[in-house]
Amino acid sequence: MEKKNNKMKNILSNVCEFYRQGFREMTLGKTLWTIIIIKLIIIFAVLKVFFFPDYIDQNDTEGDAASFVAGQVIERNH
């Protein structure tokens, strides 16, 4: 059992080192990954602001969000 765990750790270590070395030696890839990450951040920020408004804060009049959510859950299940 001990040998199996050591072998698995060795394999994981080799895989991690392979990817670490590959990302370290990239030139064009770093620029492309940066562009992809920036685009994802922009996309999700826009989606959150325009398509997922804070419905609980807009409709909660008592100041108790938990009771508002519980009321909505009970109301929609019956």
Side-chain angles (χ1 to χ4, degrees):
M1 189 69 165
E2 180 78 23
K3 287 184 180 183
K4 193 173 189 178
N5 286 340
N6 285 339
K7 187 175 182 180
M8 185 63 121
K9 287 180 183 179
N10 192 19
I11 290 171
L12 288 174
S13 175
N14 287 341
V15 169
C16 290
E17 183 60 32
F18 172 77
Y19 279 104
R20 187 180 310 138
Q21 182 180 1
F23 281 115
R24 193 179 307 134
E25 293 178 7
M26 273 197 290
T27 54
L28 179 62
K30 287 182 184 179
T31 305
L32 294 176
W33 274 109
T34 303
I35 292 170
I36 290 169
I37 290 171
I38 290 170
K39 286 174 74 173
L40 285 173
I41 289 170
I42 291 170
I43 287 170
F44 284 115
V46 168
L47 283 176
K48 174 152 179 29
V49 170
F50 292 111
F51 296 109
F52 300 108
D54 198 357
Y55 186 74
I56 294 173
D57 281 342
Q58 292 174 354
N59 294 309
D60 181 25
T61 57
E62 302 169 5
D64 187 19
S67 65
F68 173 74
V69 172
Q72 290 295 313
V73 170
I74 292 170
E75 183 180 309
R76 291 178 188 203
N77 283 330
H78 286 10

